[in-house]
C-alpha cells in the first residue's frame, strides 16, 4: 500500500538506536527524507550515511542534548532550515528515570526537560509551518507504564504530561490538516531495555513469560510500523489518539 508520504520531510529525535532507528528505517523505506537528532555526533554521521546509501533519500543530522533547555528548539530550527520545512515529527527522545518522593527538585526538573519539555519545544517550533502548509504529522513515543504505574518513575510521570499535551494540541489543530498522536510502548528490545534495565537474558524471558501475553518483548520495527501508519496520508482522520504496542501487557480498558 502506498502511504502517500514519499518526498515528505521528517524529524526524528533519539534517532540512532532502538525505537528511533526503527522509525528512521521505516520512514526512509517509504521515501521520506530524514533529519536525525541525537547526542552522539559520530553515530549520527554513520547512521545518516547508511540511510542515504540504503534508501536513496536525503538524510541530515544535528547533535543535541534534549536535557538542555533550548537545544531541542534549536535542533528543530536547524531541520527546518536544512529542508525548507518539516512535515513529520517523531518525538522519541527520553529515558526511564526511577525515583522517589525524596528525589531532588533538580532531578525532577531534569526529567521534565528531557521527557516532556523538550518535545514541547520541538512541537511548537515545527507547528506553524505545518499549519501554514495545511499538512503535518506529530507522533509522540512514550512508555505505556503511565496507564497503570507500578513503580515511582519520573520519566513515566513526565511522559504522561506529553500524552495530555498531544491530546489538547490535536484538538486545537484538527481543522488545519495536522494530526497529533501518541504511540505508547511496552517492553521493546533496545539498548535501554536489554543493557541498562534487564541485561540478563533469562530475566527478560521470565518477565515476558509472566507479564506479557504475547510471551516476548517487542521489536523497534513493530513500534515503527504503528508510527508509520500514523504518519501516512491514510491516517488523516486519526488524531488525539493513543496506539499501544505492548504485546497485550496493558491491563486497562481505556
Amino acid at each position: 500500500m502506498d502511504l502517500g508520504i514519499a518526498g515528505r520531510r521528517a524529524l526524528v529525535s533519539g534517532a540512532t538506536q532502538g525505537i528511533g532507528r526503527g522509525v528512521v528505517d521505516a520512514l526512509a523505506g517509504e521515501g521520506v527524507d530524514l533529519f536525525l537528532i541525537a547526542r552522539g555526533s559520530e553515530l549520527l554521521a554513520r547512521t545518516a550515511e547508511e540511510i542515504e546509501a540504503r534508501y536513496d533519500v536525503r538524510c541530515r543530522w544535528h547533535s543535541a542534548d534534549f536535557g538542555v533547555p533550548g537545544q531541542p528548539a534549536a535542533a528543530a530550527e536547524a531541520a527546518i532550515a536544512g529542508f525548507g520545512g518539516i512535515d513529520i515529527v517523531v518525538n522519541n527522545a527520553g529515558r526511564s528515570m526511577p525515583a522517589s518522593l525524596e528525589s531532588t527538585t533538580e532531578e525532577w526538573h531534569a526529567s521534565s526537560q528531557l521527557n516532556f519539555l523538550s518535545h514541547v519545544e520541538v512541537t511548537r517550533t515545527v507547528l506553524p509551518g505545518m499549519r501554514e502548509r495545511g499538512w503535518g504529522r506529530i507522533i509522540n513515543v512514550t512508555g505505556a507504564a503511565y496507564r497503570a504505574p507500578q513503580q515511582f518513575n519520573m520519566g513515566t510521570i513526565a511522559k504522561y504530561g506529553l500524552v495530555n499535551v498531544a491530546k489538547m494540541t490535536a484538538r486545537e489543530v484538527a481543522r488545519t490538516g495536522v494530526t497529533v498522536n501518541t504511540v505508547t510502548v511496552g517492553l521493546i528490545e533496545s539498548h535501554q531495555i536489554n543493557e541498562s534495565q534487564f541485561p540478563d537474558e533469562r530475566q527478560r524471558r521470565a518477565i515476558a513469560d509472566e507479564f506479557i501475553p504475547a510471551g516476548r518483548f517487542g521489536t523497534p520495527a513493530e513500534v515503527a510500523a504503528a508510527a508509520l501508519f500514523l504518519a501516512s496520508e491514510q491516517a488523516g482522520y486519526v488524531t488525539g489518539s493513543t496506539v499501544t504496542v505492548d504485546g497485550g501487557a496493558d491491563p486497562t480498558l481505556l
Side-chain angles (χ1 to χ4, degrees):
M1 179 174 66
D2 182 6
L3 298 181
I5 53 176
R8 295 288 188 184
R9 303 153 296 183
L11 178 161
V12 181
S13 63
T16 55
Q17 299 183 69
I19 292 170
R21 177 59 195 263
V23 170
V24 166
D25 278 296
L27 289 169
E30 294 295 322
V32 175
D33 294 325
L34 275 304
F35 194 93
L36 316 182
I37 303 173
R39 286 183 298 175
S41 297
E42 183 176 335
L43 186 53
L44 277 165
R46 187 163 66 247
T47 302
E49 184 177 347
E50 291 173 1
I51 293 297
E52 287 194 331
R54 184 179 304 171
Y55 298 105
D56 193 27
V57 297
R58 294 182 298 166
C59 192
R60 306 290 183 265
W61 60 270
H62 184 95
S63 174
D65 185 346
F66 272 34
V68 178
Q71 289 201 21
E77 289 168 357
I80 293 169
F83 281 157
I86 290 294
D87 306 301
I88 300 165
V89 167
V90 181
N91 287 316
N92 173 66
R95 65 183 177 89
S96 175
M97 301 179 75
S100 71
L101 284 176
E102 284 69 46
S103 298
T104 67
T105 300
E106 289 74 19
E107 289 172 325
W108 283 99
H109 281 310
S111 174
S112 178
Q113 172 58 39
L114 176 62
N115 292 296
F116 173 60
L117 292 174
S118 63
H119 305 307
V120 174
E121 286 188 39
V122 170
T123 297
R124 68 187 180 198
T125 301
V126 302
L127 196 52
M130 290 180 174
R131 298 180 75 167
E132 183 179 343
R133 291 186 297 274
W135 200 96
R137 301 287 187 265
I138 297 173
I139 302 155
N140 300 312
V141 179
T142 76
Y146 75 88
R147 306 177 84 165
Q150 303 295 315
Q151 297 175 325
F152 216 119
N153 192 298
M154 290 187 288
T156 298
I157 295 168
K159 289 288 192 176
Y160 187 41
L162 186 61
V163 175
N164 277 264
V165 167
K167 185 72 169 181
M168 291 184 285
T169 305
R171 293 177 64 86
E172 185 175 303
V173 302
R175 299 192 182 190
T176 68
V178 179
T179 67
V180 187
N181 293 289
T182 301
V183 177
T184 67
V185 303
L187 292 172
I188 305 298
E189 299 279 359
S190 66
H191 172 81
Q192 184 174 161
I193 293 294
N194 290 6
E195 298 186 26
S196 299
Q197 295 186 36
F198 306 110
D200 189 299
E201 184 178 350
R202 289 173 299 178
Q203 181 190 25
R204 293 198 298 273
R205 288 200 301 265
I207 289 172
D209 185 59
E210 182 175 359
F211 297 109
I212 306 174
R216 64 177 178 84
F217 287 15
T219 67
E222 289 170 319
V223 179
L228 191 63
F229 169 69
L230 293 174
S232 72
E233 190 70 45
Q234 288 86 341
Y237 199 58
V238 181
T239 194
S241 296
T242 300
V243 177
T244 302
V245 183
D246 71 349
D250 181 6
T252 62
L253 291 174
L254 301 174

